[in-house]
Amino acid sequence: MSARSISFRQFVLGMLAQQPMSGYDIKRRLKNLAWLIGDMSFGSLYPALHALLNDGLVTVSVTASRDKPPRKVYSVSEAGKTALEEWANQSELSNTSLKGFVMRLNMASTLSQPALVRQLKQRREQVSAHHTTIQQQLDALDNETDLGRHLVMSYGLTLASAELAWLDEALARLAQPPLAVEGRTNHRVS
Amino acid sequence: MSARSISFRQFVLGMLAQQPMSGYDIKRRLKNLAWLIGDMSFGSLYPALHALLNDGLVTVSVTASRDKPPRKVYSVSEAGKTALEEWANQSELSNTSLKGFVMRLNMASTLSQPALVRQLKQRREQVSAHHTTIQQQLDALDNETDLGRHLVMSYGLTLASAELAWLDEALARLAQPPLAVEGRTNHRVS
DNA sequence: GGGTTCATGTAATGGGTTACATGATTCC
DNA sequence: GGAATCATGTAACCCATTACATGAACCC
């Protein structure tokens, strides 16, 4: 209920909005994202799924097959879609961590395009601010400064720069839309 | 006790190894890192400090001054140093998230230089593997793929590239050390 | 006088991890 | 026959967040 604590369930809901899946499927996807946002265990995933079901935000359909164990495939319900959009469209995205941003990015499709652009711009401002802050702090360090602190700052600066570049490119791609539909031809970012 | 649960306390210990500080000071530093690794509250920080004190890994000295509230400055004890080095030098750093890596990076100074190089190389391999995996998955996506998924992958690829570049540079700087002291002249990454 | 920063703490609540439990299938 | 993957779940424990509590100095 308390806006913050929901976020994990909301994230799972966002996953299901991308595509109906089983808990095990979600876990697999999560594993791929683990290096960015950290892993999560079945012990929290399954209960989260049950909670979503309990709240009527998702529906289940058990798929039994004779050679594989039965799977419970979850789909987002109408109520779930409403809840998701409501949450995703909160224009004021608070100063989130990288993890929080990835979680939000992951549900981009539940946003209208202008809303998405707005959020990316907000993120850009935040990261830009971090970038200048780190740069200043880095310049202010004397050479007796702890190596770890130094490395973390340098690392942070690099990531901030990269993220800014990515945001700029993403925004540019969204700015002049070739009216979509056929526009997403080449998403190579490298 | 269970290796994993300690990690937060270990991180705080690492902070104190950089420089003796009060809980409030640590919090301030943490706030600057929040966009990378997420924030942490006083409600967990102070108890962590008490636990470290209880285990004899840190010592306190209360600094009272008449115009400021009294501060409790914590320093790492000998036992604390031992524990830190032991933990930091575990050569096999498991497949950690970005957050975990930053936390480790932050205690680089408790490592011998060869150990640091070893860890950076390990990280490089892991990130490199992620990079190729993401690239493959990205290439395999059809154009009906969910926008959010697409963006997250593209974002991940960008960050992975940036991190690889940073690691290469850091390793290069560590490889032929101009015997430090004056070597760290220009850390501009932008 | 009121808001902000400095400074340290405690208690309740919620929730995530760990470990346990089960069972079928596939590959070596 | 044993390990690994697929597949779902429960329960206890730990711990982190949240909210509460206190208090002094500084600035507007």
Side-chain angles (χ1 to χ4, degrees), chain B residues 23-108:
Chain B
Y24 200 84
D25 290 332
I26 295 177
K27 185 65 164 52
R28 213 189 279 114
R29 291 264 175 101
L30 262 301
K31 217 178 165 185
N32 286 334
L33 261 42
W35 79 283
L36 272 182
I37 64 176
D39 207 1
M40 68 206 352
S41 61
F42 282 120
S44 59
L45 181 54
Y46 284 125
L49 250 11
H50 299 334
L52 287 173
L53 191 63
N54 226 58
D55 294 352
L57 302 176
V58 297
T59 57
V60 213
S61 74
V62 182
T63 313
S65 99
R66 63 206 71 84
D67 55 336
K68 290 265 174 136
R71 292 158 43 84
K72 288 188 173 181
V73 177
Y74 294 86
S75 309
V76 179
S77 69
E78 282 307 314
K81 264 176 206 166
T82 310
L84 246 187
E85 276 162 30
E86 210 171 296
W87 186 68
N89 272 300
Q90 286 170 344
S91 51
E92 274 308 319
L93 76 158
S94 57
N95 211 28
T96 44
S97 63
L98 193 147
K99 175 178 172 179
F101 177 62
V102 171
M103 285 168 78
R104 262 181 180 278
L105 241 201
N106 199 52
M107 6 184 283

Side-chain angles (χ1 to χ4, degrees), chain A residues 87-170:
Chain A
W87 186 67
N89 272 300
Q90 286 169 345
S91 50
E92 274 311 316
L93 76 159
S94 55
N95 213 29
T96 45
S97 64
L98 193 147
K99 175 178 173 180
F101 178 63
V102 171
M103 285 168 77
R104 262 181 179 278
L105 241 202
N106 199 51
M107 7 185 282
S109 54
T110 71
L111 257 55
S112 66
Q113 211 215 356
L116 177 58
V117 170
R118 222 177 302 130
Q119 292 201 356
L120 292 182
K121 279 184 179 166
Q122 272 180 53
R123 175 70 180 174
R124 217 213 96 97
E125 269 174 60
Q126 287 171 7
V127 176
S128 178
H130 287 308
H131 186 273
T132 51
T133 302
I134 299 171
Q135 184 72 66
Q136 284 166 3
Q137 288 179 347
L138 207 43
D139 290 340
L141 295 185
D142 50 44
N143 40 2
E144 280 118 53
T145 305
D146 180 87
L147 175 62
R149 247 194 109 192
H150 191 99
L151 288 174
V152 167
M153 283 191 190
S154 153
Y155 179 82
L157 194 65
T158 299
L159 287 205
S161 293
E163 183 166 339
L164 285 177
W166 183 85
L167 286 167
D168 285 337
E169 203 198 305

Side-chain angles (χ1 to χ4, degrees), chain A:
Chain A
M1 185 144 288
S2 57
R4 176 60 164 69
S5 66
I6 289 183
S7 87
F8 173 50
R9 285 210 273 278
Q10 291 280 5
F11 180 58
V12 173
L13 193 59
M15 280 274 156
L16 293 174
Q18 293 183 354
Q19 185 182 336
M21 294 159 109
S22 71
Y24 201 83
D25 291 332
I26 295 177
K27 186 65 164 52
R28 212 188 281 116
R29 291 265 174 99
L30 261 301
K31 218 176 164 186
N32 285 335
L33 261 42
W35 77 284
L36 272 182
I37 64 176
D39 208 0
M40 70 204 353
S41 61
F42 283 120
S44 59
L45 181 54
Y46 284 125
L49 249 13
H50 299 333
L52 287 172
L53 191 62
N54 225 58
D55 294 353
L57 303 177
V58 297
T59 57
V60 212
S61 74
V62 183
T63 311
S65 99
R66 61 207 73 85
D67 54 336
K68 291 265 175 136
R71 292 159 43 83
K72 288 188 173 180
V73 178
Y74 294 86
S75 309
V76 179
S77 69
E78 282 308 313
K81 266 176 204 165
T82 310
L84 246 187
E85 276 161 30
E86 210 171 296
W87 186 67
N89 272 300
Q90 286 169 345
S91 50
E92 274 311 316
L93 76 159
S94 55
N95 213 29
T96 45
S97 64
L98 193 147
K99 175 178 173 180
F101 178 63
V102 171
M103 285 168 77
R104 262 181 179 278
L105 241 202
N106 199 51
M107 7 185 282
S109 54
T110 71
L111 257 55
S112 66
Q113 211 215 356
L116 177 58
V117 170
R118 222 177 302 130
Q119 292 201 356
L120 292 182
K121 279 184 179 166
Q122 272 180 53
R123 175 70 180 174
R124 217 213 96 97
E125 269 174 60
Q126 287 171 7
V127 176
S128 178
H130 287 308
H131 186 273
T132 51
T133 302
I134 299 171
Q135 184 72 66
Q136 284 166 3
Q137 288 179 347
L138 207 43
D139 290 340
L141 295 185
D142 50 44
N143 40 2
E144 280 118 53
T145 305
D146 180 87
L147 175 62
R149 247 194 109 192
H150 191 99
L151 288 174
V152 167
M153 283 191 190
S154 153
Y155 179 82
L157 194 65
T158 299
L159 287 205
S161 293
E163 183 166 339
L164 285 177
W166 183 85
L167 286 167
D168 285 337
E169 203 198 305
L171 281 167
R173 238 184 301 146
L174 289 169
Q176 11 79 305
L179 283 167
V181 181
E182 210 56 32
R184 284 194 271 124
T185 49
N186 196 354
H187 356 269
R188 191 139 295 139
V189 177
S190 162

